[in-house]
Amino acid sequence: MAPLPTTGHPDDLDHDLGWMLGVAFRAYVKACEVALQDLPGGPRGYQVLTIAARGPARNQGAIAEELGIDRTVLTYLIDDLEQVDLVARLPDPADRRSRLVIATEPGRAAWQQHREALRHVEAHVLDPLPARDTATFRSLLQRVACGAQSRDPLSDPGG
Amino acid sequence: MAPLPTTGHPDDLDHDLGWMLGVAFRAYVKACEVALQDLPGGPRGYQVLTIAARGPARNQGAIAEELGIDRTVLTYLIDDLEQVDLVARLPDPADRRSRLVIATEPGRAAWQQHREALRHVEAHVLDPLPARDTATFRSLLQRVACGAQSRDPLSDPGG
DNA sequence: TATTGTTATACTCTATAACTATA
DNA sequence: TATAGTTATAGAGTATAACAATA
């Protein structure tokens, strides 16, 4: 059986932060599969689309840093989104090496649709929590994630 | 820059559950690298070792289910741990197909050492939280993870 | 016929280095 | 010389199917 939060022994697996984060993360990815099945890149593709749709337009390096992923994988994600006309790469007037990523009109529509679908996915994943605790959990998880991002900005100069 | 929890717009990336879980999970895995560098299988290897060290002895199918991983990947994890004499596969007296996995004496010692090292890793990952909120966060995350495990037991009969 | 564990294959995600074109 | 983006390669992690031994 799967461990339940009732055993109480601090050495049990369900007290291991790595186990908890891994299980929660994989459960989220799996729960997304249906909702994002027509979106290239899955959750990652949605995150790129979010930045592109929200604006202002940014270049790929800035997007990779915000997402916490390597800029080499971002190239492929944008390739796939661009191929189905959800985002576009525009020349950066300030720097001819740089390319600004924006959402197309269908891209913004697709983003809103998937955002709505993901609301249900998130509710499903957080369903085990009492309703009054979901906001608390999101707020605390946000602090952990943002803290990690600011500690290890990724693609830091020198590595 | 990395997003900080101060923007407040509900469409921002730092309100996306997938982004938060992914960033937190990858930050944990990265923070583990040094502490678990001599342990085959990394965090997964540690989790197997935890079950084997805590007892009672279980067969591989039961361990895979508790870990939430496929039994085919567990074979490789146990192979690697057995090769360095941290766990052993014993014949199951009740079923000759089944093999019981237990920690060896050096395996139990290694588990205690790594458990101590991981306490610091966990504290590092949870460092952005106010001290009084860490227990709350762990408790809520545990509910989410255990809820997901009991909903999707993995290797369920029929899939 | 179903189950335990193993092996092989493939597909995704990630990490690294090398390359181009600009700065 | 350094940076933005691309490409190629290799390594993990994961999923699937097929297989041998046993129930």
Side-chain angles (χ1 to χ4, degrees):
Chain A
M1 274 301 294
L4 289 170
T6 46
T7 55
H9 195 293
D11 285 334
D12 279 349
L13 214 52
D14 61 350
H15 288 76
D16 183 285
L17 185 62
W19 180 85
M20 294 191 283
L21 285 173
V23 168
F25 177 62
R26 286 191 298 274
Y28 175 85
V29 171
K30 186 168 184 178
C32 276
E33 264 172 23
V34 176
L36 299 183
Q37 79 192 130
D38 59 335
L39 187 71
R44 282 289 168 72
Y46 173 78
Q47 290 163 22
V48 172
L49 191 55
T50 296
I51 294 179
R54 191 197 51 197
R58 267 180 278 204
N59 69 15
Q60 301 184 193
I63 294 174
E65 189 179 5
E66 178 165 352
L67 256 45
I69 65 178
D70 197 89
R71 65 192 209 282
T72 65
V73 328
L74 185 58
T75 295
Y76 300 118
L77 284 171
I78 296 178
D79 282 351
D80 295 344
L81 290 169
E82 193 175 34
Q83 209 159 9
V84 295
D85 192 36
L86 296 179
V87 305
R89 289 188 244 233
L90 303 183
D92 183 345
D95 186 339
R96 276 198 290 171
R97 295 170 302 178
S98 173
R99 312 171 77 170
L100 301 177
V101 179
I102 59 161
T104 62
E105 188 52 46
R108 277 192 292 273
W111 173 64
Q112 290 186 345
Q113 285 167 12
H114 289 105
R115 180 186 53 170
E116 188 56 30
L118 287 182
R119 283 216 188 96
H120 298 288
V121 170
E122 299 198 354
H124 175 70
V125 172
L126 298 183
D127 183 63
L129 295 181
R132 68 175 199 288
D133 286 336
T134 59
T136 301
F137 176 71
R138 298 184 76 108
S139 166
L140 296 177
L141 178 58
Q142 185 187 15
R143 276 178 181 269
V144 171
C146 289
Q149 277 288 84
S150 60
R151 273 197 314 269
D152 295 317
L154 197 65
S155 73
D156 52 343
Chain B
M1 272 303 294
L4 289 169
T6 46
T7 55
H9 195 293
D11 285 333
D12 277 351
L13 214 53
D14 60 349
H15 288 77
D16 183 285
L17 186 61
W19 181 85
M20 295 191 283
L21 285 172
V23 167
F25 177 62
R26 287 192 298 273
Y28 176 85
V29 170
K30 185 167 185 180
C32 276
E33 263 171 25
V34 175
L36 299 183
Q37 79 192 129
D38 59 334
L39 188 70
R44 282 289 168 71
Y46 173 78
Q47 291 164 23
V48 173
L49 190 56
T50 296
I51 294 179
R54 190 198 49 195
R58 268 180 277 203
N59 70 15
Q60 301 183 193
I63 295 175
E65 190 179 3
E66 178 166 351
L67 257 46
I69 64 177
D70 197 272
R71 63 194 210 282
T72 64
V73 328
L74 186 59
T75 297
Y76 300 118
L77 283 172
I78 296 177
D79 283 351
D80 296 342
L81 290 169
E82 194 175 35
Q83 209 159 7
V84 294
D85 193 35
L86 296 179
V87 304
R89 287 188 245 232
L90 303 183
D92 183 345
D95 185 338
R96 276 197 290 172
R97 294 171 303 178
S98 174
R99 313 172 79 169
L100 301 177
V101 179
I102 59 160
T104 62
E105 187 53 45
R108 278 192 293 274
W111 173 63
Q112 290 185 346
Q113 287 166 10
H114 289 105
R115 181 185 53 170
E116 187 58 28
L118 286 182
R119 282 216 188 95
H120 298 289
V121 170
E122 298 199 354
H124 176 69
V125 171
L126 299 182
D127 183 62
L129 295 180
R132 68 174 200 287
D133 286 336
T134 59
T136 301
F137 176 70
R138 298 184 76 108
S139 167
L140 296 177
L141 178 58
Q142 186 187 14
R143 277 176 181 268
V144 171
C146 290
Q149 277 289 83
S150 59
R151 274 197 314 268
D152 295 316
L154 198 65
S155 73
D156 51 343

